[in-house]
Amino acid sequence: MAIVDRQQRSSDRKVFSLCPFWQASATMNNSSSSSSTQNLNQNGNRHTEMVTAKRSNTVSSIARSLLPPRRRLRLDPTNNLYFPYEPGTQAKSAIRLKNTSKSHVAFKFQTTAPKSCFMRPPGGILAPGESIIATVFKFVERPENNEVQVDLKSKVKFKIMSLKVTAGVDYLPELFDEQRDQVTVERILRVVFLDVQRPSPALEKLKRQLAEAEAALEARKKPPPDTGPRGIGEGLVIDEWKERREKYLARQQVEAVDST
């Protein structure tokens, strides 16, 4: 019995003598597992940061697309174009445009009724702080069966677009096609007719603006003082619609003569 106990103690000592190796291997395993855990945590944090950055960029781009574009022009009136209601005549309206940005801005008019409406000028370039009063012409059709017009609103709309340009650039309508991504739609204006038999603040304001537009047109017609040699075409205002209209009428006359 004593011999058996001594043999068991000696075997236990051998077993316990091997424990340091077990402890070292266990320590190495724990350190390797902790380092791998740290690497996983770091990789996970980096992935999370990348995903968060992508999400923030996506959200910011969506937010920028939802925000209204920054306007470069201030319009007066802001939402409507007022015309005196006189059926069978070519009525006139006026709108003031002012460049409120810090750069040169090109503007351009568009309308849903190009055959019955035209603008003077149809476009141009404004320096920072510069303003202009544009005149808009529209033929007012007579109502069917000479009925009294109750609703003085029209379906015709005008769109005013703007484009940032560098100083010294000549105005060309093609600029808006070449830089379509940079074009801003300033406003879409509706046509509203005013009863000339009923005085109103809008009608009085329209008369003042038309008088200012006519005075500005007469001032542009006067030759500027001679300050030296001028470039070819400098100071000329080209009315594109008027030129197209004259060519169209000339073709109509020629066709009428040929038919007779």
Side-chain angles (χ1 to χ4, degrees), residues 204-222:
E204 295 299 325
K205 182 178 179 179
L206 174 60
K207 292 179 179 179
R208 291 195 304 269
Q209 286 188 329
L210 288 174
E212 293 180 15
E214 291 296 330
L217 178 62
E218 293 297 328
R220 287 198 299 266
K221 288 181 179 179
K222 293 181 181 179

Side-chain angles (χ1 to χ4, degrees), residues 83-229:
F83 291 85
Y85 183 67
E86 298 174 345
T89 63
Q90 189 180 61
K92 293 190 297 183
S93 181
I95 182 170
R96 182 186 296 274
L97 292 80
K98 183 176 182 179
N99 181 7
T100 57
S101 68
K102 297 180 180 180
S103 60
H104 285 67
V105 172
F107 68 91
K108 181 182 177 181
F109 281 92
Q110 281 188 348
T111 178
T112 57
K115 293 184 178 180
S116 62
C117 304
F118 70 97
M119 291 68 66
R120 187 177 63 195
I125 295 179
L126 296 175
E130 185 180 2
S131 63
I132 187 175
I133 296 182
T135 308
V136 186
F137 299 84
K138 184 186 184 324
F139 181 78
V140 183
E141 298 180 356
R142 296 182 183 275
E144 297 181 359
N145 301 325
N146 293 327
E147 295 179 356
V148 179
Q149 186 93 8
V150 178
D151 186 10
L152 295 180
K153 293 184 180 180
S154 175
K155 296 181 180 180
V156 178
K157 297 179 182 179
F158 289 85
K159 181 166 66 175
I160 301 179
M161 300 177 294
S162 68
L163 174 66
K164 180 181 177 181
V165 296
T166 57
V169 173
D170 295 331
Y171 172 77
L172 292 173
E174 290 77 14
L175 290 174
F176 290 83
D177 296 329
E178 297 171 356
Q179 305 180 33
R180 189 172 302 174
D181 296 338
Q182 305 298 325
V183 174
T184 298
V185 176
E186 293 288 339
R187 191 76 66 180
I188 296 178
L189 306 171
R190 298 184 64 89
V191 171
V192 176
F193 293 110
L194 299 175
D195 190 353
V196 294
Q197 303 298 330
R198 296 180 180 178
S200 63
L203 185 60
E204 295 299 325
K205 182 178 179 179
L206 174 60
K207 292 179 179 179
R208 291 195 304 269
Q209 286 188 329
L210 288 174
E212 293 180 15
E214 291 296 330
L217 178 62
E218 293 297 328
R220 287 198 299 266
K221 288 181 179 179
K222 293 181 181 179
D226 189 5
T227 58

Side-chain angles (χ1 to χ4, degrees), residues 1-21:
M1 190 70 180
I3 295 172
V4 172
D5 292 338
R6 283 197 294 271
Q7 290 178 352
Q8 186 173 3
R9 290 194 192 97
S10 63
S11 63
D12 291 339
R13 290 193 192 96
K14 293 180 180 179
V15 171
F16 283 114
S17 64
L18 295 177
C19 286
F21 298 100

